[in-house]
Structure formats: structure tokens, C-alpha cells
Amino acid sequence: MDQSPFSRRDFIQRFGTAALVAPSLAGLGGLYGCGNKSSESSAESATSTTSATGSERKLGVALVGLGLYSEGQLAPALEKTKSCRLAGVVTGTPDKAQKWKEKYNIPDKNVYNYQTFDQIADNPDIDIVYVVLPNSMHAEYTIRAAKAGKHVICEKPMALTSADCQKMIDACKQANKKLSIGYRLHFEPHNQEMMRLGQQEVMGKVNKIIAQNAQKQENDTPWRLGGGVGGGGPLRDVGIYCLQGAIYTKGQVPIAVTAKLHPVTDPEKFSKVEEGVDFQLQFADGSVADCKTSYNDKYNQLRAEAAKGWFELSPAYQYDGLKGETSQGKMDIENVPQQARQMDAFANCILTDTPTTVPGEMGMRDVQLIEAIFQAAKTGTKVSTKDVLQVLDPTPKARA
């Protein structure tokens, strides 16, 4: 993990935190995320996480890190969930703790800081720990949560190294707890439609995918630029959506990657992380995915070009306002609360004891591919993924 002159509490107080293959599609209107069994179980009438009422029980979620993503997305989403609820928070900032306690009626016993975090093991109100910390802190808090006997959702990217990913997977398995990665777009109908169209070859074989995601990054979240505890950069942060989108649209894991870093136009801002990177995923059937990401531009697209037409999302990866179109016309698909669907799906996996479709193995696969992309960019050579991938989880399969 990155070494930092700041303590976790200093980092959180000074900067705040920010967040940021296998969904079975049984129709675009339902919940997705559990394997084999239905995840439609409703828990609307449940009010306590301590009552043993089977699938009628709402599971308690504790958010670890109260930065922009927790505040702006996850907490509001938890007010819309059917199978889980906001039960606790973990923060190093007393003012934030007080604010959240008052706003969400969280009892004192369910509020933790980073020194008291491990005491969460003694709290039956909390079933799920959601790790929403800077990337370099994901591994530590996922492992500690598992050791505390809690199921875990970890934000993407899963960790900075595949070795850390394996430790996280092992810790959750040893504790007999489920681990899910925060891949919200697997539960979003526009992206699910891209999976269906691509994997079922509705318009013929997909020959080329274009996946692009970039944002103008400033110093409001310094860890993204390598400050504080570090672990940022556009490839890990927003480029991972391109990697994911290409794989779940094609329904295949690439066999090789090539990559090239963008020229640095602002040496001060991009002294610790890449400014951007172009990378290509090459698949076994000869098709490719041309991807690019940057912290100094704006684009947001997922496009597939097939033998008999094309289909795309633009924007593709945002929290809301996604739009889709095909060579046959516009996609008439409603935007939904993505994070609520994601968390409900995981809660239902726990309640029904079924596997999540966005497991730690998928997160590890993506970190291994990111490592391969950096290796390809550094060496200027094609990197075979068979030499990189230690985990080949099932490729994402869509069905009608």
C-alpha cells in the first residue's frame, strides 16, 4: 500500500473521501445480481436488522468513508432500497459523524472512527460494510471488515495490486462472508441492453468496441492525483469503466492488450499519476476494443460496431442521464437508481445465499488487466493476458 505522511484521520479530515463477469438478465425491469436464484425478494416491511425473519429482513449497511460518493449517491440510494438500510457510518471527522447521526437518525453505538472500526464485530445492527475509501485503503478495510464478520462491498478498483485483491478474497472466504465489487452499471438497464445486444449478437458479430471515459480532474479529491494516501489516476478511476464496458458488451475476456500513455501537458498536476492512456483490448475472435481515458478531457461513450449495425450509449457511465441509440433507432430505456439496485442485489444474495455476479474475482481480474495495460504502456509491447490473469471468472453472459 502507498505510504503517506498523513494519518488516515488527517487525510479524511483534510481532504474528504470520494468513490469512485456475470449478470443474468431476466428482463430489464427487475433486480439483478444473484446467480441462479431470483433476487426479487422484497423487504419493504422490515424495520430491524436484528430480527430473524429470513428474506423479509432489511440488512444494515455501514458506509466506511463519508466523502462525495457516500454523501451524494450511496446514502440517498439507501433511502430507496428494499432489502437494506443505512445502519452505521465510519469516519475520521467528528463534525461529519454528528451531521450524519442527525440527518439519518443513526445511534451513537453505530458510529465508528478508524481506530474503533474493528469493534463493529460486536454490532448485530450491521450486516454489510461498504468500503468507500481512496483506492490504497480498500484492501485493509475489506480485510478488517471480513475479520469482523461482515459481508463487504468494496468500491472499484478493488485494490492497487492483484496481490492485495487475492488477500481480500481469501479473508472473505475464510470468514465465510460474501464480497462484492461496486460495479453499479451491471444493474443499470442501458448497460444491460449493451450486454444483450453484444453477447447475443443481435446485430451479428461485434467486430469493434469503442469505450471512452474522461473527466477534468482538479484538486478537490487530491488522492485521485496521487496526493495523500495516493492510489489514483484516470485508468484505475474512470478508465476501468471502459475496461468493464468492453468486456461485458463483448462477453469475452481479452487475450492481449496494448497501450500508450498520453503526453503530459501539466507536469505539476500529473507528477504522480498518468494524465491519460489509450489502450486496446484484443479478443480471441479477432475483434478489438479501442479504449481511452483521461483526467484532462471530457468524453463518455460505449459503442459497439457489429456486422449488421451498431449500438451505443452516450453518456454511458454516469450516475444518471444515460442515453442509448442503435442503427435501428433510439433505446427507449428509463434511468433508474443504480446504486439502490446494486445494493439491493447484494443484500438479496446474502438473504438467499446465492453468489453475487460482481464478485471479488471479477475485481481481481480487472486489476490484473490494469496491471497489464500499465505494463504494455511502459514497455511499448503487446502483453498477453494469459501471462497476467490468475483468475478467469465466468465471462458475463446475458440472456433474453
Side-chain angles (χ1 to χ4, degrees):
M1 302 183 81
D2 290 0
Q3 298 299 313
S4 169
F6 303 105
S7 69
R8 294 184 190 88
R9 179 171 179 172
D10 289 338
F11 177 80
I12 300 297
Q13 287 180 324
R14 186 169 178 181
F15 300 132
T17 61
L20 320 184
V21 248
S24 294
L25 306 187
L28 293 179
L31 287 172
Y32 305 90
C34 296
N36 300 324
K37 296 182 183 179
S38 170
S39 57
E40 299 281 348
S41 302
S42 173
E44 291 174 298
S45 61
T47 57
S48 172
T49 60
T50 60
S51 60
T53 55
S55 62
E56 294 301 312
R57 185 166 67 95
K58 277 194 173 184
L59 300 185
V61 178
L63 298 178
V64 184
L66 304 183
L68 300 177
Y69 192 58
S70 286
E71 182 177 19
Q73 299 298 325
L74 296 179
L78 280 161
E79 296 184 309
K80 300 175 183 177
T81 50
K82 297 179 180 180
S83 299
C84 50
R85 67 182 181 93
L86 178 60
V89 293
V90 182
T91 178
T93 308
D95 289 347
K96 283 188 179 181
Q98 187 62 36
K99 174 184 173 182
W100 281 66
K101 280 167 54 179
E102 295 174 356
K103 184 173 182 178
Y104 295 104
N105 194 29
I106 300 172
D108 287 341
K109 68 183 182 68
N110 291 3
V111 178
Y112 300 87
N113 60 37
Y114 297 102
Q115 289 70 46
T116 64
F117 173 79
D118 299 314
Q119 296 173 20
I120 207 167
D122 302 320
N123 194 335
D125 283 353
I126 295 169
D127 302 280
I128 300 168
V129 166
Y130 198 143
V131 179
V132 202
L133 294 166
N135 300 339
S136 63
M137 301 170 77
H138 288 182
E140 177 184 351
Y141 280 87
T142 294
I143 292 168
R144 287 172 68 178
K147 288 181 177 178
K150 306 302 178 183
H151 302 283
V152 185
I153 305 174
C154 178
E155 259 310 307
K156 58 81 195 159
M158 183 176 174
L160 295 186
T161 68
S162 55
D164 275 345
C165 292
Q166 188 63 63
K167 292 175 184 176
M168 297 158 74
I169 292 169
D170 291 345
C172 290
K173 286 184 176 178
Q174 185 173 357
N176 196 28
K177 297 298 173 183
K178 296 184 185 296
L179 171 61
S180 178
I181 309 304
Y183 289 135
R184 56 186 167 81
L185 295 178
H186 281 252
F187 311 95
E188 194 286 314
H190 293 81
N191 283 271
Q192 289 172 336
E193 178 66 353
M194 293 293 288
M195 298 176 201
R196 186 187 72 85
L197 293 171
Q199 293 174 32
Q200 295 182 10
E201 299 189 347
V202 174
M203 298 182 188
K205 174 190 169 185
V206 172
N207 296 309
K208 183 177 181 179
I209 293 171
I210 300 170
Q212 306 178 104
N213 196 19
Q215 64 188 34
K216 290 276 190 177
Q217 186 61 50
E218 303 301 337
N219 280 310
D220 53 337
T221 49
W223 68 266
R224 296 178 189 270
L225 297 173
V229 297
L235 179 57
R236 291 188 177 103
D237 184 23
V238 294
I240 195 170
Y241 289 108
C242 304
L243 182 63
Q244 273 267 311
I247 292 173
Y248 61 60
T249 298
K250 184 66 181 177
Q252 297 179 20
V253 175
I255 61 169
V257 301
T258 57
K260 184 178 181 180
L261 296 177
H262 294 179
V264 175
T265 62
D266 188 336
E268 182 176 353
K269 179 183 288 188
F270 300 109
S271 62
K272 297 180 180 178
V273 298
E274 74 279 7
E275 181 170 330
V277 59
D278 295 338
F279 59 99
Q280 185 181 77
L281 311 179
Q282 300 170 7
F283 298 99
D285 64 359
S287 61
V288 298
D290 290 331
C291 309
K292 69 175 179 176
T293 186
S294 173
Y295 265 170
N296 198 29
D297 210 335
K298 289 186 178 180
Y299 36 80
N300 194 306
Q301 180 190 34
L302 177 59
R303 178 182 175 91
E305 297 177 354
K308 300 177 183 179
W310 55 267
F311 44 101
E312 72 172 358
L313 303 180
S314 182
Y317 317 109
Q318 294 180 171
Y319 301 141
D320 198 6
L322 276 60
K323 296 180 181 179
E325 188 172 359
T326 79
S327 52
Q328 300 174 359
K330 294 186 181 298
M331 294 182 190
D332 184 17
I333 299 176
E334 181 182 359
N335 278 267
V336 301
Q338 301 169 11
Q339 291 85 357
R341 288 166 65 102
Q342 171 202 330
M343 288 186 283
D344 264 342
F346 187 55
N348 281 306
C349 287
I350 295 169
L351 291 167
T352 58
D353 193 23
T354 48
T356 172
T357 57
V358 286
E361 287 79 5
M362 179 181 287
M364 180 172 174
R365 178 205 68 194
D366 291 347
V367 170
Q368 290 167 347
L369 289 172
I370 288 171
E371 290 172 340
I373 292 167
F374 278 126
Q375 180 184 347
K378 180 179 180 180
T379 62
T381 61
K382 180 190 296 187
V383 175
S384 170
T385 62
K386 73 177 182 179
D387 300 325
V388 175
L389 290 175
Q390 302 165 28
V391 172
L392 281 174
D393 60 308
T395 54
K397 298 301 181 185
R399 65 171 185 260

